Amino acid sequence: MAIVLRCVDRLGIVKERFIRVVHMLDTSSLTLKAAIDTIFSNNNLSMAQVWGQCYDGLSNMSGAFNEFFGQLAMVVTVLCGSCNKKDMIREMQKERVAAEIGIVETEKGRGLNQEISLVRAGYTRWGSNVRTIASLLNLFGEVVVFLKYVKD
């Protein structure tokens, strides 16, 4: 496990510092947390000053999360399997946005209501999984309608 800290100095400049590499025999979340706590303690660092954390290594997640992201990948694969499917979702989204603008549920203006497409997740990048979930949530209504259509 590689430990890298990213911080912002008093001038607002982002700095990254490599702390160390730790050999891990077990990559369970409890073991990783214990190693991180030890490194923080040995370097007089406080978790109270941590604003965010980022982990690369989706394979370290336990069963429920692996299952969730596996199901998510299958849904996105079904939805993005062809240009026709993508076009159907795009048209449903356009109709929904037009209807929402018509009843003043959606704000209009430059840069708003852009076309959204589903994003495929990377295998081990948390950021790509977050983008996949966000795109799925933004298109949730269309996804449900489309999956019912596929089922029928």
Side-chain angles (χ1 to χ4, degrees):
M1 170 175 65
I3 308 280
V4 177
L5 296 181
R6 180 178 293 153
C7 59
V8 178
D9 68 11
R10 289 189 172 109
L11 299 174
I13 298 171
V14 177
K15 301 194 177 216
E16 285 187 340
R17 296 291 183 257
F18 170 78
I19 302 298
R20 75 182 284 190
V21 172
V22 181
H23 178 72
M24 304 296 296
L25 294 174
D26 174 20
T27 58
S28 69
S29 59
L30 289 176
T31 306
L32 295 172
K33 182 188 179 318
I36 291 169
D37 288 344
T38 300
I39 290 167
F40 265 63
S41 176
N42 292 344
N43 289 284
N44 295 321
L45 299 169
S46 169
M47 286 299 279
Q49 293 179 305
V50 173
W51 286 13
Q53 302 172 47
C54 177
Y55 301 94
D56 184 13
L58 194 59
S59 61
N60 293 334
M61 290 191 300
S62 64
F65 290 111
N66 277 334
E67 185 176 334
F68 170 77
F69 285 111
Q71 293 292 323
L72 180 64
M74 282 193 287
V75 168
V76 173
T77 297
V78 166
L79 296 169
C80 296
S82 74
C83 292
N84 290 342
K85 292 176 183 177
K86 289 179 187 179
D87 288 343
M88 286 177 68
I89 292 172
R90 184 178 297 121
E91 287 303 312
M92 285 189 282
Q93 180 201 10
K94 283 170 57 177
E95 290 171 10
R96 176 181 51 87
V97 169
E100 288 175 356
I101 289 172
I103 58 173
V104 194
E105 276 190 23
T106 298
E107 196 175 330
K108 39 184 189 173
R110 185 175 182 184
L112 298 175
N113 308 313
Q114 298 293 311
E115 184 177 289
I116 301 167
S117 62
L118 288 169
V119 178
R120 289 183 190 262
Y123 290 106
T124 61
R125 300 285 179 198
W126 277 100
S128 68
N129 286 296
V130 169
R131 285 188 297 276
T132 300
I133 293 168
S135 70
L136 188 61
L137 288 173
N138 286 327
L139 292 169
F140 190 75
E142 289 83 2
V143 168
V144 170
V145 169
F146 182 80
L147 290 176
K148 286 179 182 176
Y149 169 79
V150 170
K151 178 186 170 212
D152 293 342

